[in-house]
Amino acid sequence: MSLPINDPSLILLIGPSGAGKSTFAHAHFRPTEIVSSDDLRAMLTDDAADQDASAEAFHILSLVINGRLKRRLLTVVDATNLRAANRKSYRRLAARYGIPVVAIAFDSAVHEYLSRNAGRPDRVVDDEVVTSQADRMAVALVDLADEGYESVHILRGDEESVEVVVRRRGEASTS
Ligand SMILES: Nc1ncnc2c1ncn2[C@@H]1O[C@H](COP(=O)(O)OP(=O)(O)OP(=O)(O)O)[C@@H](O)[C@H]1O
Ligand SMILES: [Mg+2]
């Protein structure tokens, strides 16, 4: 599956914990293009799961996104992005610089999010948290179509996210 992406774009990855957002980001984008709420929490506290640092992590996330978009650099937001209000604030930031926003949602069954989470080597998120995120994901999947993205891509299942080929289109390109 080919995924055409304007360069620059702001790319919002959307999905519960265990959806495969970070795996996808690192497979398809350069490390400096990816801004991760978990990485920022880890930088602040040595613990990517430390929710006490969330407010500061998201503040820094916005500063980094702003700094990169100002420079017209493609930016990937690796966070669950399950709240409409958060997605809206990122769209506003991108609109300030005329940068298109792309949504990539990772839609799997809740048992897949849970089993991937249980099997991960780094950090396991509580089942109740993942289940409630899956509920919010169902709402997000309905809302995304009307939120005004340049494009919305919904990846379902393992093969699809593995087989994706991201094709970048430069600013001067019209195709
Ligand atoms: N397409 C896939 N097929 C099978 N396993 C996968 C796939 N993508 C990721 N995984 C595995 O699932 C686990 C979680 O993946 P990943 O860390 O990318 O999730 P995440 O969406 O970033 O979660 P979080 O929001 O908690 O950071 C990892 O162990 C990863 O190896
Ligand atoms: Mg992750």
Side-chain angles (χ1 to χ4, degrees), residues 16-23 38 80 116 120-121 123 125 158 161-162:
S17 186
K21 302 178 298 294
S22 302
T23 304
D38 283 336
T80 59
R116 282 192 208 157
R120 65 201 292 183
R123 157 183 64 82
V125 177
D158 296 350
S161 54
V162 169

Side-chain angles (χ1 to χ4, degrees), residues 6-10 69-70 72 90-101 150 171:
N6 283 314
D7 187 354
S9 290
L10 178 64
L69 296 186
K70 187 167 70 180
R72 308 196 70 75
Y90 298 138
R91 291 197 304 277
R92 278 209 187 132
L93 209 48
R96 190 186 288 176
Y97 303 107
I99 305 268
V101 187
E150 170 84 4
E171 291 213 285

Side-chain angles (χ1 to χ4, degrees), residues 11-43:
I11 301 164
L12 303 185
L13 305 183
I14 299 156
S17 186
K21 302 178 298 294
S22 302
T23 304
F24 178 89
H26 287 279
H28 299 290
F29 298 95
R30 291 193 282 272
T32 53
E33 293 176 326
I34 304 165
V35 205
S36 150
S37 53
D38 283 336
D39 289 353
L40 292 170
R41 269 192 288 260
M43 287 177 83

Side-chain angles (χ1 to χ4, degrees), residues 2-172:
S2 172
L3 205 87
I5 301 253
N6 283 314
D7 187 354
S9 290
L10 178 64
I11 301 164
L12 303 185
L13 305 183
I14 299 156
S17 186
K21 302 178 298 294
S22 302
T23 304
F24 178 89
H26 287 279
H28 299 290
F29 298 95
R30 291 193 282 272
T32 53
E33 293 176 326
I34 304 165
V35 205
S36 150
S37 53
D38 283 336
D39 289 353
L40 292 170
R41 269 192 288 260
M43 287 177 83
L44 287 162
T45 69
D46 287 340
D47 177 3
D50 187 341
Q51 299 300 317
D52 287 348
S54 284
E56 288 158 285
F58 281 98
H59 179 59
I60 299 168
L61 194 77
S62 300
L63 292 175
V64 176
I65 294 170
N66 188 69
R68 291 186 58 84
L69 296 186
K70 187 167 70 180
R71 294 173 175 83
R72 308 196 70 75
L73 294 172
L74 181 145
T75 303
V76 179
V77 185
D78 181 9
T80 59
N81 290 316
L82 290 169
R83 292 187 193 282
N86 292 350
R87 298 193 297 271
K88 188 174 181 179
S89 72
Y90 298 138
R91 291 197 304 277
R92 278 209 187 132
L93 209 48
R96 190 186 288 176
Y97 303 107
I99 305 268
V101 187
V102 175
I104 303 181
F106 298 79
D107 180 24
S108 292
V110 64
H111 67 85
E112 284 185 46
Y113 300 137
L114 291 168
S115 69
R116 282 192 208 157
N117 234 304
R120 65 201 292 183
D122 45 355
R123 157 183 64 82
V124 176
V125 177
D126 287 345
D127 282 4
E128 306 85 77
V129 173
V130 177
T131 306
S132 106
Q133 289 177 342
D135 290 343
R136 281 194 271 140
M137 180 65 171
V139 177
L141 284 169
V142 174
D143 290 349
L144 289 179
D146 298 323
E147 289 182 354
Y149 297 99
E150 170 84 4
S151 54
V152 176
H153 304 278
I154 298 178
L155 305 182
R156 295 191 173 88
D158 296 350
E159 295 89 38
E160 210 165 13
S161 54
V162 169
E163 286 169 8
V164 162
V165 178
V166 171
R167 299 205 186 282
R168 295 183 185 223
R169 299 182 297 202
E171 291 213 285

